[in-house]
Amino acid sequence: MNEWLWAAAVLTAAVTALVAVAARKPLLEGLVALEAAGALTTLVLLMIAEGTRRQPFADLALVFAATSFAGAIAFLAFGRRLE
């Protein structure tokens, strides 16, 4: 394993903690955690792409970054119905 994959592993633990916060906190705090998790997931995928020298992971990271905002909007729309 190289340093890119080690950094991706560390950030994956941070993403896991942010997803737990998004699931347990009130709506707006959860949304902030969800947005931060989306940004970190994009970075994790880019680090995996660099660490393994495989371009499809970088493409996936770019697609995920573009759809992360739409996911946050959906989280807001459906979350308000649950409150």
Side-chain angles (χ1 to χ4, degrees), residues 9-43:
V10 169
L11 284 181
T12 301
V15 169
T16 305
L18 285 170
V19 168
V21 168
R24 296 179 186 201
K25 292 291 182 176
L27 182 67
L28 291 178
E29 292 175 13
L31 180 63
V32 171
L34 187 67
E35 284 293 317
L40 283 181
T41 302
T42 302
L43 288 174

Side-chain angles (χ1 to χ4, degrees), residues 28-76:
L28 291 178
E29 292 175 13
L31 180 63
V32 171
L34 187 67
E35 284 293 317
L40 283 181
T41 302
T42 302
L43 288 174
V44 166
L45 287 171
L46 286 172
M47 287 180 183
I48 290 172
E50 184 64 31
T52 60
R53 303 274 189 216
R54 296 191 64 198
Q55 183 64 32
F57 287 116
D59 296 340
L60 181 63
L62 292 175
V63 169
F64 185 81
T67 59
S68 176
F69 179 71
I73 298 299
F75 183 78
L76 265 177

